[in-house]
Amino acid sequence: MNIVKSLTIASLVFSLAFNCLQTQAQTHDYDQLIAIPPQLIHEMDIDPNQLPEIPPATVAALPDHCKPHRVTGISLNSNGTLMAVAITSGGSSSECLASGFMQIFAISTRESPRLLYIVHSKYWVDRVAFNPNGTRLAVGVYDSNVHIFKGMIPFTHLQTLPEARADIGAIAFNPFGTQLAVGGDDVRVRLYNGSSLFTHQKTLPKFSGWVTSIDYHPNGIWLAVAARDGMVKIFKALHPFTLLRVLLNPYGSFEAIAYNPTGTQLVAGGEGGKVWIYNGTSPSDPLYNLSVPAKVTNIAFNPKGTRLAVGMVNGQVMIFRGMSPFPLLHNLSVGSTGMAYSPDGTWLVAGGYDGKIKMYKVDITEAFTETSTRIVTEIHNASTLTAFSLITLLTAALQGMILQ
């Protein structure tokens, strides 16, 4: 065989083997390759006249809950078996007075949510939050009070926190359930300590606008507060409750904030069609910003931090990957003023001004990631084996040519 021709063939075979190895070495985003759209599994209309399975301890004259009904807050308990929903009704005209109610549902993937308990109010019910172990449920009402309920059957009313001077717009428990932060239209945030019954601990310095959202860092040491003055203020959540940092929205108000589960990111949104992503442990200038089509009303991470859901005033929920470069994965029309992931990350529950609550099976991709990674790894390993086999054959062939 002509040596030049042999070397040409050898070059081609080496090139093929190298390409196999290169293909095997490429980094693949398996999560992107197997993305599956969220699946709607339950949808229900808000009904203030639905009878609960557990009747209230006392029966009083019920307010006339006239439409529109709007979901303003959703919280799931620690094992994802209970869902509390805050709802406002009426208020659009003199003939339709404002009122509200809070409903607690039993939820599962197999059956439609079952209404267990209902609390009626002559005022809008704006926020709900289970504490981390699900033993307490805080309900913010537009009567300037936060009401504390037992978070389990029979959902007994335990306590009223009356220190606020205006409507309640934000409530949050710290990660240990030992502190409760409450903010509202009196432009103040009040802190309460305790895990069973709560006592007033501290009132933070006055803001310049309504308090709209509160979240604790997963370490429980820092507290982020958003307000309509276009500021997010980061406080130390322990005595002496020092103000540590101020973040600004150049386009207007901040309406929603959330730390990711590891505390490495702080995400904030509001007016201006932007979602700002900051370093969660040392926030200063945004690391990233995402463009969205309307004012942000709600932000939620799934428990693994792999998904970031952003709700907007137009009823859209946009789901991004929770890591850089934060690609958009899904765009839903579900209502967005109340939104929460289940503790295992497989459900997304959302409601809004359309009078509906929708429950989606989400992050189905997560269940397949391990299997898909194994399959693709096996393919890569096969490519590697093929490449080395070609090299072995080539080496033998060259040795034969040289001997000839």
Side-chain angles (χ1 to χ4, degrees), residues 204-207 215 217 221-227 229-237 241-249 254 257 259 266 268 277-287:
L204 299 180
K206 192 175 181 180
F207 286 73
D215 197 24
H217 189 278
I221 297 174
W222 303 318
L223 173 68
V225 181
D229 58 5
M231 297 184 186
V232 168
K233 294 183 178 180
I234 315 294
F235 294 89
K236 188 175 182 180
F241 308 101
T242 312
L243 175 62
L244 303 175
R245 195 67 56 89
V246 177
L247 310 175
L248 301 176
N249 181 357
F254 277 115
I257 51 172
Y259 283 100
L266 173 63
I277 300 170
Y278 303 89
N279 183 311
T281 58
S282 181
S284 54
D285 294 332
L287 302 176

Side-chain angles (χ1 to χ4, degrees), residues 56-86:
T58 59
V59 179
L62 301 180
D64 182 16
H65 299 296
C66 56
K67 293 183 178 181
H69 306 308
R70 301 164 292 259
V71 174
T72 51
I74 293 176
S75 181
L76 304 183
N77 70 344
S78 54
N79 60 12
T81 58
L82 296 175
M83 174 177 67
V85 183

